[in-house]
Amino acid sequence: MILEKTQIIKVSKNADTAEDIEKLKFASDVIKRGGLCVFPTETVYGLGADALNEKAVKSIYEAKGRPQNNPLIIHLSDVCQIEKYCYTKGVTGLDKLTNLMPAPLTVILKAKENVPKATTGGLDTVAFRIPQNACARKLIELSETPIAAPSANLSGKPSPTCVKDVIEDMYSRADVIIDGGDCEIGIESTIITLCEEPPVLLRPGKISYEKLCELLSDVHVSHAVLDSLKPGEKILSPGMAYKHYAPDKPVVLLRGKTDKKIKYVNEKALCEKIAVICYESDRDKIKCKDTLCAGNKDDNEAYAAKIFSLLRQTNTLNIDKVYAFLPKDTSGISLAIYNRLMRASAFNVIDL
Ligand code: AMP
Ligand code: MG
């Protein structure tokens, strides 16, 4: 930390009042001086530092307890900055993706030499994103540098999507925490690499696999999106190798017909202290006091928006295990919910 104490500053959603700009100038000054600043994005809160300052980047890894080989995403404020840090010439499909930006979409390209290896985790590629969130983009613009930012959680824990969860993990680790309210999307950006032919989806998110196929015609899904890696297998995205997003208590996923899932948890509730993450319509039928609602069955965007805060909420309950109902398929944003829950549970799924 470069400040003596963590400063918490509140900024409005549009980050456009004179007061907001003054506060963001203060935060950008911290970034320029090599400090750490937590900021809101439309996906999850990020723990940011100057992506071109190796020492500052190293302090991100320290604050999170993150393995140094797990690369960081650099956040830009405008598409015109992409070619400063990435080789873009002749990359098929890039224009189709940049047309969507700003977006909850991260693209991996070959890195230019000015991007420190500390930022890329030693790789010759770099992941970049232009966030939609106005406060995030203003902070990057005022900092006059790309901001390297992983999610603002301690390594392995669920990502923070509200300022309360940020404070829990990052108070006294970051210099500044910008409170920009709740993150609307609630799960991290979609990650696609254009360094492979055809492009490979490494992490699903709000920009869906179906949307990417529509734009790029052929996209492969890394099998690590839904499966654990085989021993010795080449890892395209180091983040995929770890158990991730896990609350304190073990998570078990239930897949299958709703009535079977309800029967299963009701039997378990007789002999175990459990919490159940389920849809609103199932809640009344579950005979356990700690049911956490993931929204309507036909609105998995709501499930995505809540998933990390629900997982964190289970830490406050007097329970031994968490059961979570999986969406009925993996289309659209449900693929991202599957991906995060698979990691939160260390691939512990029961088919009913
Ligand atoms: P987070 O740190 O939670 O924001 O997640 C960032 C994700 O981006 C991690 O899973 C990283 O492994 C992945 N990532 C960042 N840069 C690269 C890169 N150059 N190649 C592959 N994956 C990357
Ligand atoms: Mg993360």
Side-chain angles (χ1 to χ4, degrees):
M1 283 181 69
I2 60 163
L3 300 182
E4 261 175 39
K5 190 167 164 274
T6 304
Q7 303 282 321
I8 302 175
I9 56 183
K10 200 170 169 62
V11 169
S12 69
K13 265 271 170 279
N14 297 331
D16 55 358
T17 67
E19 202 186 331
D20 289 335
I21 303 299
E22 272 319 299
K23 289 176 181 169
L24 291 176
K25 273 190 187 151
F26 170 78
S28 67
D29 195 47
V30 166
I31 297 276
K32 284 181 186 172
R33 288 161 51 208
L36 289 179
C37 172
V38 177
F39 62 99
T41 81
E42 69 278 18
T43 59
V44 302
Y45 272 83
L47 173 64
D50 179 353
L52 305 182
N53 176 341
E54 223 166 293
K55 197 162 159 240
V57 166
K58 282 188 178 149
S59 65
I60 294 181
Y61 288 95
E62 267 166 40
K64 272 187 69 103
R66 180 183 174 107
Q68 303 259 349
N69 69 342
N70 192 357
L72 304 173
I73 295 171
I74 67 167
H75 294 72
L76 310 174
S77 59
D78 195 282
V79 281
C80 69
Q81 294 155 4
I82 300 169
E83 61 181 7
K84 277 197 204 167
Y85 310 105
C86 309
Y87 288 102
T88 58
K89 273 222 177 75
V91 179
T92 321
L94 179 60
D95 54 336
K96 296 267 185 2
L97 299 183
T98 54
N99 278 342
L100 292 180
M101 295 177 186
L105 175 66
T106 297
V107 176
I108 295 173
L109 293 173
K110 284 270 175 274
K112 288 202 169 159
E113 289 64 25
N114 55 355
V115 185
K117 285 283 189 245
T119 303
T120 66
L123 301 174
D124 60 1
T125 55
V126 63
F128 76 87
R129 170 159 112 84
I130 299 159
Q132 249 159 18
N133 181 290
C135 171
R137 279 213 313 283
K138 196 77 206 164
L139 176 72
I140 303 162
E141 194 188 307
L142 292 169
S143 302
E144 298 170 321
T145 186
I147 296 185
S151 48
N153 52 281
L154 294 173
S155 191
K157 293 226 292 173
S159 306
T161 55
C162 62
V163 80
K164 173 182 142 290
D165 293 347
V166 167
I167 291 171
E168 193 175 290
D169 281 15
M170 286 301 148
Y171 193 82
S172 82
R173 291 174 183 264
D175 296 286
V176 176
I177 293 174
I178 303 176
D179 176 357
D182 293 352
C183 304
E184 311 87 80
I185 297 176
I187 45 168
E188 304 83 348
S189 58
T190 304
I191 305 183
I192 185 166
T193 176
L194 295 182
C195 298
E196 305 279 320
E197 191 59 59
V200 181
L201 175 68
L202 298 177
R203 180 173 74 185
K206 165 95 192 244
I207 305 289
S208 66
Y209 167 67
E210 292 84 349
K211 176 77 187 171
L212 293 170
C213 288
E214 188 189 307
L215 293 170
L216 302 174
S217 70
D218 193 12
V219 177
H220 280 192
V221 179
S222 165
H223 85 84
V225 164
L226 292 182
D227 297 331
S228 53
L229 291 169
K230 296 185 189 82
E233 186 179 335
K234 184 182 161 208
I235 303 167
L236 278 182
S237 186
M240 305 189 305
Y242 306 104
K243 180 180 170 191
H244 230 111
Y245 317 121
D248 296 344
K249 297 289 153 55
V251 178
V252 180
L253 308 181
L254 301 179
R255 183 162 50 192
K257 288 242 158 53
T258 305
D259 51 345
K260 288 192 174 165
K261 291 189 223 170
I262 293 171
K263 185 164 175 276
Y264 187 89
V265 292
N266 282 342
E267 277 167 15
K268 290 291 173 193
L270 297 173
C271 51
E272 290 177 7
K273 281 195 284 181
I274 63 170
V276 181
I277 298 177
C278 63
Y279 292 106
E280 179 66 51
S281 52
D282 307 330
R283 214 171 178 184
D284 287 347
K285 297 172 210 140
I286 294 174
K287 296 183 187 67
C288 119
K289 83 172 169 24
D290 293 312
T291 53
L292 305 176
C293 178
N296 280 329
K297 203 162 269 172
D298 51 10
D299 181 9
N300 280 312
E301 299 217 342
Y303 196 163
K306 288 183 180 171
I307 187 64
F308 288 134
S309 67
L310 293 181
L311 288 172
R312 278 178 177 262
Q313 221 175 300
T314 65
N315 292 344
T316 65
L317 304 172
N318 177 24
I319 52 154
D320 296 322
K321 204 180 266 181
V322 180
Y323 287 97
F325 288 16
L326 282 167
K328 74 172 186 324
D329 61 33
T330 55
S331 63
I333 200 152
S334 297
L335 183 63
I337 298 171
Y338 262 77
N339 169 265
R340 305 311 192 272
L341 284 176
M342 286 293 191
R343 280 174 171 70
S345 69
F347 301 91
N348 191 355
V349 188
I350 296 178
D351 279 300
L352 296 167

